[in-house]
Amino acid sequence: ARGAPPYEFLSRVLDQPLAAGGATGWTRLLARLGGPARDPVSALLARALDPPGDGPHDLQHFVSAMDGDRTQIKRDLAAAGGDVRVMTVHGAKGLQAPVVILPDTTAPPKPGRAQVFTVDGVPVWSPNNGLDPEPVAAERALAADKDLREHRRLLYVALTRAQDRLVIAGAWHGRADPGYHPASWYGLCETALTRLGVDGEPGEIRALGKLETALAPGTDTPAGVVASETPDWLDQRAPAISGGWRAISPSHLTEERGIVVPPGGGKASERFKRGRLIHDLLQRLPHLADSKREEAAAAMLSRDLSLSPDQRSEISATALATLRDPVFAGVFAPEGRSEAPVIGQGKGWPKGTIINGRVDRLVVTETDVLVADFKTDRPPPRDADDVDEAYLRQMAAYQNVLQQAYPGRRVRCALVWTDGPRLMELPDALLLAALNRAQSSL
């Protein structure tokens, strides 16, 4: 086929069925990619009829020429024909269609994600509003107001795309009535309809205006339309979905949490920060060769300008000593993974419950599975019986899921307290009791 003329080759592939009675290449291609694929493939056929260049017009030279061709084919989106176009509101700007359906309108406005704000000409980084000083809080409020105005402006764009009929719909949002957020597009449109005098009960379809249709001469129905009764389901609320999945984070299995007390010995904020930095180093350094860890630790800590040289040296030395300590050898084994997701159904949970979490270290061997989580916000207890209930339930949930994923292997759970640091393995009996309490509370 390498020496075949390109147009004959492409025509044979597209027009002839692959097997007797089978679909042609055109049919298979359009079924896979949809109608919009017809235009670029037709352009390819036209190019094959008149290949570029003056050299031999065989398939190999044609493929080489097309590979270096940077020509772009642009479709006229305004000419949809009889196709149904699915696009974002941004992508629909400047276009119109006889019927426009907005299928997802019940969710609230997307929260602003700005983290850098300009205060008196100076950029200020603030990752969340809990850390905002007053000038930054004012700038964040302005950014939130700007996002809300953009949310409403996009609604205006969506509403003005329809020529004849506009359908505003959406899935039930939230767990209680009314099923949509007040600031959502659905809520805004419902408020507008109410002000225009279009009332209705919850679940009913509200309509404003009358659809004008071209009638065939001497008939009472639109041309080409067969009159039929409206189906009952059109005016009924969609049934509630029962028996769905429920994802639970292991860290949220209890509302009872101990008092967060950063380890003592110095300012509390400094001790908390020290633990967090050691946590970061213990996550990232195990993947490096031992000879490169000290340099990498120094580079990471140098980015924090609030640390003194002595603090950087002490934090680096503590993390490196932990990685070399035989007590932690199992946790930081080369085959281990940092920030490993643990997702599964487990055993004994209510039907449809999925445990969805992430552990700091996961080490899987032929005989054992070791789960380790780093704790930086509290001083280490004297023994495992004094560990906070939230931590016990969290680790018990991880153990429960991994026991189903790795049958026949022992799943061990441990906490790494970054003050020290100190390794504490949790007994199976203690975890089983915490698991029973967690499952019975759901």
Side-chain angles (χ1 to χ4, degrees), residues 85-154:
R85 295 177 294 185
V86 179
M87 58 182 64
T88 64
V89 176
H90 279 288
K93 289 180 180 179
L95 304 177
Q96 283 192 318
V99 178
V100 170
I101 301 175
L102 307 182
D104 183 16
T105 62
T106 56
K110 293 182 179 179
R113 298 180 180 179
Q115 294 185 341
V116 178
F117 306 90
T118 302
V119 179
D120 296 331
V122 178
V124 179
W125 176 68
S126 184
N128 61 71
N129 55 13
L131 303 175
D132 287 348
E134 185 175 346
V136 176
E139 292 296 327
R140 189 184 293 276
L142 290 175
D145 182 66
K146 182 178 178 181
D147 292 337
L148 183 58
R149 291 199 304 271
E150 174 66 11
H151 171 75
R152 293 174 175 173
R153 190 187 68 81
L154 281 177

Side-chain angles (χ1 to χ4, degrees), residues 154-189:
L154 281 177
L155 173 59
Y156 169 79
V157 173
L159 297 179
T160 53
R161 298 310 94 203
Q163 294 173 328
D164 299 322
R165 175 175 289 189
L166 173 68
V167 179
I168 301 167
W172 186 276
H173 180 81
R175 297 186 178 182
D177 288 334
Y180 58 87
H181 192 275
S184 65
W185 288 358
Y186 191 97
L188 296 174
C189 292

Side-chain angles (χ1 to χ4, degrees), residues 198-421:
V198 183
D199 297 322
E201 296 296 327
E204 288 184 350
I205 296 177
R206 300 190 186 189
L208 176 66
K210 183 179 180 182
L211 180 64
E212 299 294 337
T213 57
L215 297 181
T219 65
D220 294 328
T221 57
V225 175
V226 178
S228 62
E229 294 184 1
T230 302
D232 295 337
W233 55 261
L234 187 61
D235 295 320
Q236 295 177 357
R237 177 180 294 185
I241 299 176
S242 60
W245 297 103
R246 178 190 178 192
I248 297 180
S249 171
S251 59
H252 296 151
L253 285 173
T254 179
E255 297 297 331
E256 300 178 6
R257 296 180 179 272
I259 300 175
V260 177
V261 181
K267 293 182 179 180
S269 60
E270 292 181 359
R271 297 292 292 177
F272 180 83
K273 185 175 185 177
R274 173 184 179 272
R276 178 177 55 79
L277 292 172
I278 292 176
H279 176 287
D280 292 344
L281 291 174
L282 294 180
Q283 278 190 323
R284 292 171 170 81
L285 296 182
H287 304 290
L288 301 176
D290 187 63
S291 58
K292 298 181 178 179
R293 290 176 178 174
E294 185 172 356
E295 180 182 355
M300 288 178 57
L301 295 174
S302 66
R303 300 170 188 167
D304 193 330
L305 301 180
S306 66
L307 296 174
S308 67
D310 289 343
Q311 287 175 317
R312 293 193 186 100
S313 178
E314 188 274 333
I315 292 173
S316 175
T318 300
L320 293 172
T322 302
L323 294 174
R324 300 188 186 108
D325 192 329
V327 174
F328 294 89
V331 175
F332 301 108
E335 62 269 24
R337 295 176 56 194
S338 297
E339 288 291 311
V342 176
I343 304 172
Q345 292 183 254
K347 185 178 181 180
W349 301 93
K351 184 179 179 180
T353 300
I354 293 180
I355 300 301
N356 184 355
R358 188 178 297 270
V359 297
D360 291 321
R361 289 288 294 177
L362 178 65
V363 184
V364 180
T365 67
E366 294 295 331
T367 58
D368 293 80
V369 178
L370 175 60
V371 184
D373 224 39
F374 303 155
K375 301 302 177 186
T376 63
D377 57 352
R378 304 176 195 193
R382 277 175 282 187
D383 53 54
D385 290 330
D386 297 325
V387 172
D388 187 74
E389 174 71 9
Y391 292 165
L392 292 176
R393 293 191 181 190
Q394 179 184 16
M395 301 306 290
Y398 289 138
Q399 184 187 57
N400 179 259
V401 172
L402 292 170
Q403 284 173 338
Q404 310 307 311
Y406 297 96
R409 306 188 201 189
R410 184 190 174 193
V411 180
R412 301 160 51 211
C413 296
L415 298 176
V416 177
W417 305 92
T418 55
D419 181 50

